[in-house]
């Protein structure tokens, strides 16, 4: 324990504004913000960190040192600690995986929790949607949405600064959102090439659109309470055609994706909905059915629809929601569920209840 505390004390300059300089570059996703920091005394790069403030008064940060050591950092102004003091914390992820850890105080108000790279702790953190921390008789709740972008952004930050110094600092979140260079948007003869059934149908986009979609997808799966163990699909598993404009997710009982449909002249939501139905029909090689309607939400017309397909490859229903995007264009949420669960057909009332929950999750993901 002494060795761990001694090592942590060396990192006090990381987040102490008096002794550290930064941030260099930018990390910004789902409420997290940060960048690269240097030691003010030596000028040497020390780490990359991103943190988020919560209404409870606690600041929660994720830190990666220049040697790729991972840590969690907690700061609360009401704490009165001695440097090196043990600070027991009970961490719980998604209400399931629980860890009793001994944090180390590196200042009167700050503690660090080391996360070895191959530990169960860091694996749980990377996969979780929520985290709770019980310390000194208080329970703190944390939203971990955006970690699918945050974690690779922190790694990219360390790798970039180690290679090129602070002069190479950039927008690290945008840099990891796509492994491909951004494609310029060009004119299109169709309002959209999107399909609610097939995320693999190609559509041009950019790294910024893909990052926006990832944030919306994170919001959606957090709010869709009927999904069982949902998680974002990793970048390596995301269909190439979807990667520049959208983000995919999966759960035990459904799959889906969020896609940004950029603005185009004289294209309305009705045009987008009609194009999606047409594409769905082309993608289905068997029995196909569709329906769509519209409703007024906060003075905006929102389209929602359904496409079902039964063929030799799949038997599924896609519910899609087309919402206006503040920056122009539209946002498409697609939720694909099997026509039948194991051993039984999903009843109409049950499906209506599921769809109402998905619809609410889509609306609140955009308006929050």
């Amino acid at each position: 324990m002494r060795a761990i505390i001694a090592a942590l004390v060396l990192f006090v300059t990381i987040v102490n504004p008096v002794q550290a300089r930064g941030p260099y570059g930018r990390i910004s996703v789902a409420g997290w913000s940060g960048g690269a920091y240097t030691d003010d005394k030596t000028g040497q790069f020390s780490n990359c960190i991103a943190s988020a403030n919560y209404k409870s008064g606690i600041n929660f940060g994720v830190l990666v040192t220049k040697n790729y050591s991972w840590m969690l950092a907690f700061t609360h102004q009401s704490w009165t600690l001695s440097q090196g003091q043990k600070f027991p914390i009970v961490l719980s992820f998604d209400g399931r995986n629980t860890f009793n850890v001994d944090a180390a105080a590196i200042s009167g108000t700050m503690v660090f929790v080391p996360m070895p790279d191959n530990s169960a702790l860091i694996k749980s953190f990377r996969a979780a949607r929520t985290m709770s921390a019980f310390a000194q008789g208080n329970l703190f709740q944390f939203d971990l949405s955006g970690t699918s972008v945050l974690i690779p952004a922190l790694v990219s930050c360390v790798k970039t600064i180690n290679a090129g110094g602070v002069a190479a600092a950039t927008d690290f979140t945008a840099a990891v959102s796509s492994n491909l260079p951004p494609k310029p948007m060009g004119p299109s003869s169709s309002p959209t090439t999107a399909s609610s059934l097939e995320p693999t149908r190609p559509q041009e986009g950019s790294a910024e659109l893909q990052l926006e979609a990832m944030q919306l997808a994170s919001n959606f799966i957090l709010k869709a309470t009927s999904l069982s163990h949902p998680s974002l699909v990793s970048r390596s598993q995301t269909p190439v055609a979807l990667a520049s404009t959208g983000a995919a997710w999966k759960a035990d009982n459904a799959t889906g994706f969020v896609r940004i449909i950029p603005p185009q002249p004289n294209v309305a939501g009705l045009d987008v909905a009609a194009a999606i139905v047409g594409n769905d029909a082309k993608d289905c090689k068997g029995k196909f059915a569709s329906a769509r309607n519209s409703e007024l939400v906060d003075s905006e017309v929102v389209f929602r629809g359904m496409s079902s397909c039964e063929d030799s490859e799949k038997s599924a229903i896609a519910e899609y929601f087309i919402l206006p995007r503040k920056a122009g264009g539209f946002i498409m949420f697609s939720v694909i569920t099997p026509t039948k669960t194991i051993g039984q057909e999903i009843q109409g009332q049950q499906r209506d209840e599921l769809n109402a929950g998905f619809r609410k999750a889509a609306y609140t993901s955009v308006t929050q």
Side-chain angles (χ1 to χ4, degrees):
M1 181 66 190
R2 288 182 178 179
I4 294 175
I5 293 175
L8 293 178
V9 168
L10 292 176
F11 298 126
V12 68
T13 59
I14 295 168
V15 287
N16 187 334
V18 176
Q19 296 179 319
R21 285 185 178 176
Y24 297 95
R26 180 173 179 264
I27 296 174
S28 179
V29 56
W32 302 87
S33 61
Y37 285 82
T38 61
D39 187 322
D40 190 33
K41 294 180 179 179
T42 65
Q44 297 296 309
F45 167 58
S46 55
N47 59 81
C48 293
I49 187 171
S51 62
N53 292 308
Y54 288 80
K55 292 180 180 180
S56 59
I58 199 168
N59 179 284
F60 171 45
V62 184
L63 178 152
V64 187
T65 72
K66 63 181 180 181
N67 297 320
Y68 297 97
S69 295
W70 290 80
M71 300 180 194
L72 301 179
F74 299 93
T75 305
H76 201 294
Q77 294 306 312
S78 67
W79 290 343
T80 2
L81 308 171
S82 302
Q83 184 169 305
Q85 175 184 338
K86 270 189 182 182
F87 191 86
I89 302 178
V90 179
L91 297 176
S92 179
F93 299 92
D94 291 337
R96 297 190 298 272
N97 299 335
T98 300
F99 299 86
N100 293 287
V101 298
D102 281 329
I106 62 166
S107 72
T109 58
M110 183 187 304
V111 299
F112 277 178
V113 177
M115 291 196 300
D117 190 49
N118 293 320
S119 66
L121 175 59
I122 196 170
K123 290 178 182 177
S124 296
F125 171 76
R126 288 171 173 170
R129 295 183 297 158
T130 62
M131 183 183 78
S132 63
F134 185 77
Q136 292 195 333
N138 295 306
L139 181 65
F140 302 98
Q141 301 284 350
F142 303 96
D143 180 359
L144 300 184
S145 62
T147 52
S148 60
V149 176
L150 173 67
I151 290 172
L154 286 166
V155 173
S156 174
C157 176
V158 172
K159 184 177 180 180
T160 300
I161 305 302
N162 274 339
V166 294
T170 184
D171 186 333
F172 300 108
T173 44
V176 302
S177 65
S178 175
N179 293 327
L180 299 174
K183 297 180 180 179
M185 292 301 298
S188 174
S189 58
S190 171
T192 177
T193 54
S195 163
S196 66
L197 287 165
E198 291 292 342
T200 55
R201 180 177 282 274
Q203 183 177 355
E204 288 191 336
S206 68
E208 289 77 16
L209 295 182
Q210 198 268 345
L211 178 58
E212 180 182 347
M214 290 185 73
Q215 293 172 338
L216 290 168
S218 295
N219 293 340
F220 179 84
I221 62 176
L222 283 172
K223 297 175 183 297
T225 56
S226 62
L227 293 177
S228 174
H229 305 109
S231 62
L232 289 181
V233 174
S234 67
R235 171 79 186 151
S236 61
Q237 295 176 321
T238 299
V240 174
L242 180 66
S244 62
T245 58
W249 55 265
K250 61 181 178 180
D252 294 343
N253 56 340
T255 59
F257 57 93
V258 177
R259 196 165 213 160
I260 306 300
I261 301 172
Q264 298 178 54
N266 303 316
V267 172
L270 181 61
D271 302 314
V272 174
I276 288 173
V277 170
N279 290 333
D280 285 348
K282 293 177 182 178
D283 292 333
C284 181
K285 308 305 181 185
K287 184 179 178 181
F288 176 75
S290 67
R292 68 177 188 271
N293 61 17
S294 62
E295 57 187 315
L296 197 64
V297 178
D298 294 334
S299 301
E300 295 281 1
V301 177
V302 175
F303 291 89
R304 55 192 179 95
M306 176 278 294
S307 293
S308 69
C309 180
E310 293 185 32
D311 58 25
S312 59
E313 297 178 355
K314 56 182 173 291
S315 177
I317 294 179
E319 303 287 341
Y320 62 90
F321 313 95
I322 303 168
L323 287 78
R325 180 169 168 258
K326 291 181 180 179
F330 301 90
I331 301 166
M332 172 185 168
F333 293 81
S334 182
V335 182
I336 306 167
T337 54
T339 304
K340 297 180 180 180
T341 59
I342 298 176
Q344 66 178 21
E345 186 173 349
I346 300 176
Q347 299 300 314
Q349 183 178 356
Q350 181 185 3
R351 188 171 291 282
D352 288 343
E353 291 174 355
L354 287 173
N355 292 342
F358 293 148
R359 185 166 64 251
K360 182 178 179 181
Y363 294 166
T364 54
S365 294
V366 173
T367 58
Q368 73 170 12

